[in-house]
Amino acid sequence: QVQLVESGGGSVQAGDSLRLSCVANGGTFSRYAMGWFRQAPGKEREFVATISWSGVTTYYRDSVRGRFTISRDNARNRVYLQMNSLNPGETAVYYCAASKGVPTTNYDDYEYWGRGTQVTVSS
């Protein structure tokens, strides 16, 4: 059983930056690929970024590539999402998730999920 807890969300102005963190408790963190997803009110959950267990391989949705950076620290059981130049369309609850070892964009492939952290971007 793995528990994931996100932090670092908040309310910012358009163009500002935030760094989200997710800590994992239980399981073998280094054996999981990690991902970030987001969900806006009334919308489907969408993929944001993912990272392999080694941290070597990363994938991003097109709209965030070049602005967001996913990273991980296996020694501390943590994954991060640095978000730069945020825009109001990225207001959502952001979730971290753990897959069984392969990076994937499909939320159905993630076994464990955090409760989410709210990110609000004002214009």
Side-chain angles (χ1 to χ4, degrees):
Q1 186 75 11
V2 176
Q3 289 184 302
L4 305 174
V5 182
E6 303 95 336
S7 62
S11 182
V12 299
Q13 298 293 315
D16 286 350
S17 299
L18 281 174
R19 187 196 189 206
L20 306 183
S21 298
C22 174
V23 61
N25 300 115
T28 306
F29 177 80
S30 63
R31 297 287 180 159
Y32 289 88
M34 300 296 297
W36 286 96
F37 291 76
R38 64 191 179 191
Q39 188 167 23
K43 302 293 185 180
E44 295 294 319
R45 184 166 29 181
E46 66 180 19
F47 166 77
V48 178
T50 186
I51 186 168
S52 63
W53 67 267
S54 67
V56 172
T57 302
T58 59
Y59 298 104
Y60 299 90
R61 73 178 296 111
D62 289 344
S63 63
V64 310
R65 189 175 297 111
R67 295 187 298 114
F68 289 14
T69 302
I70 187 171
S71 61
R72 67 190 296 161
D73 184 346
N74 289 343
R76 300 178 66 199
N77 288 356
R78 284 173 170 81
V79 62
Y80 306 97
L81 184 68
Q82 177 67 44
M83 305 184 294
N84 297 330
S85 300
L86 286 161
N87 62 71
E90 292 168 319
T91 293
V93 176
Y94 283 69
Y95 300 90
C96 76
S99 75
K100 296 177 183 178
V102 294
T104 175
T105 63
N106 185 0
Y107 69 82
D108 287 331
D109 292 331
Y110 287 84
E111 185 174 5
Y112 302 104
W113 292 86
R115 297 296 183 95
T117 185
Q118 177 70 49
V119 172
T120 301
V121 186
S122 301
S123 61

